[in-house]
Amino acid sequence: MNMPGFSVVVPASTANLGPGFDSVGLALGLYMTVNVRSNSSWKVSYSNEEYNEIANDEQNLIAKTVIAVAEKYGKQPPTLLLSVESNIPLGKGFGSSATAIAAGIEIANQVLELRLSDREKVMEGSQIEGHADNVSAALLGGAVISYFDGESIDYIHIEKPSVGIVVLVPPEVLPTEDSRSLLPDKLCHKEATRSSASGCVLSAALAINDWKTIGRMMEKDRFHEPYRKHLFPSFEAIRQSCKELGAYGMTISGAGPSLFIAVPIGKEDEFADELAMRFPFYRSIATQPSETGTIVN
Ligand code: HSE
């Protein structure tokens, strides 16, 4: 196959925002760029050392996604040379697998001229990932609230969430499966009802960009925080510091091991510096939501 090269840019994302478990995703201003060329076999290379361990052939998740989408649409899968640059911390709760899946869907869409709609891309990504939160935000940008049951999907896209963000990133990775294995099989009705109420208010507040309310609701989750928070050094001390400093709220980023802190817009650098001083175990990164999802250059 002979085709002109192109690039796909995909944002990182944070999932859940507390009680929006497996449903809410927010795209972050950290990006992966995949430069795509035709080639006689699959070859994937990463400029970032952190990604060295990742498969560099058709077992790579971006490549596997391209192949899966091609097969689903009855097309001959291409073989490609992918050169990847990324400043998204890997395995740290910023949806790096969803970012790879979103890239693979868009690459297949371009190379095979599938003309997929946003909805088809989100459905495809959710089926591959198993939940919709990170992948919908990685594809569409902004904030996305999804209902996905494996067969059908409904989502609401909030295009321009406006907030400052600090993420605290620990040195070690935490595989999502390990973090999910900590969750109980059952939740009592009262706990589930309260968590659901906080998730409902959180979604409504997201729709009107009311980050004071979002921050409060983020901290009321009972779906996963109680079972995961012991993994985070200084969890309660960080939450207390965030309150003292005037942050909107703090929660686990996705399945962890990083923490997500919402702060007044424009104050993210100041908060990041202060939290870096108070909690040097974590790398502190200031960012904002990404309004762009997966784009092609
Ligand atoms: N909603 C997911 C979780 C995000 O918290 O396990 C990680 O993929």
Side-chain angles (χ1 to χ4, degrees):
M1 182 188 294
N2 221 348
M3 59 159 203
F6 64 94
S7 300
V8 172
V9 184
V10 192
S13 54
T14 187
N16 304 329
L17 294 186
F21 184 73
D22 278 3
S23 171
V24 174
L26 176 69
L28 304 176
L30 302 165
Y31 297 92
M32 180 174 82
T33 300
V34 187
N35 302 298
V36 184
R37 302 274 177 282
S38 50
N39 203 41
S40 54
S41 61
W42 276 102
K43 187 161 179 0
V44 188
S45 66
Y46 289 86
S47 62
N48 185 336
E49 260 183 35
E50 198 181 348
Y51 285 70
N52 273 351
E53 301 292 301
I54 293 187
N56 62 5
D57 55 13
E58 64 271 20
Q59 291 309 312
N60 176 280
L61 183 55
I62 306 174
K64 281 198 329 198
T65 303
V66 175
I67 294 165
V69 174
E71 285 172 351
K72 173 162 178 190
Y73 287 86
K75 304 273 188 181
Q76 177 69 28
T79 50
L80 300 169
L81 174 66
L82 308 180
S83 319
V84 187
E85 293 149 34
S86 178
N87 65 356
I88 304 174
L90 184 64
K92 300 282 177 69
F94 302 115
S96 42
S97 64
T99 304
I101 291 167
I105 291 169
E106 191 52 55
I107 292 166
N109 189 40
Q110 295 297 316
V111 174
L112 304 170
E113 298 177 350
L114 298 175
R115 295 188 176 81
L116 299 177
S117 65
D118 282 350
R119 189 181 185 75
E120 287 169 322
K121 291 178 197 172
V122 170
M123 184 65 178
E124 204 60 52
S126 304
Q127 281 179 327
I128 294 171
E129 174 94 323
H131 38 93
D133 46 11
N134 289 104
V135 78
S136 55
L139 283 161
L140 304 181
V144 187
I145 304 159
S146 309
Y147 169 84
F148 173 65
D149 60 13
E151 280 157 24
S152 67
I153 190 152
D154 269 286
Y155 64 84
I156 300 292
H157 181 201
I158 294 151
E159 292 180 21
K160 294 179 194 293
S162 174
V163 68
I165 294 166
V166 177
V167 290
L168 296 182
V169 188
E172 72 284 355
V173 303
L174 173 62
T176 297
E177 313 82 71
D178 294 2
S179 180
R180 287 179 89 83
S181 74
L182 300 171
L183 305 179
D185 289 335
K186 292 185 179 166
L187 211 54
C188 87
H189 194 272
K190 191 171 157 196
E191 292 279 285
T193 307
R194 286 233 177 114
S195 247
S196 169
S198 60
C200 290
V201 174
L202 178 111
S203 299
L206 265 173
I208 57 169
N209 245 317
D210 173 358
W211 280 89
K212 282 191 179 161
T213 304
I214 294 166
R216 280 199 308 278
M217 294 303 112
M218 272 174 19
E219 299 193 357
K220 296 207 180 290
D221 165 58
R222 309 289 299 164
F223 287 131
H224 66 116
E225 182 184 296
Y227 312 101
R228 288 172 162 170
K229 70 177 182 180
H230 65 276
L231 297 173
F232 298 78
S234 314
F235 188 92
E236 292 299 346
I238 295 169
R239 183 161 274 171
Q240 189 53 38
S241 277
C242 288
K243 282 197 199 325
E244 278 164 30
L245 294 168
Y248 294 135
M250 173 274 235
T251 189
I252 299 169
S253 183
S258 298
L259 295 169
F260 170 89
I261 299 153
V263 305
I265 192 155
K267 299 270 187 195
E268 55 274 10
D269 289 318
E270 204 179 294
F271 273 79
D273 290 347
E274 183 60 34
L275 290 166
M277 251 175 352
R278 293 189 187 194
F279 303 101
F281 172 74
Y282 292 89
R283 181 175 153 221
S284 178
I285 303 174
T287 186
Q288 288 190 3
S290 174
E291 289 179 15
T292 55
T294 301
I295 54 171
V296 179
N297 289 325

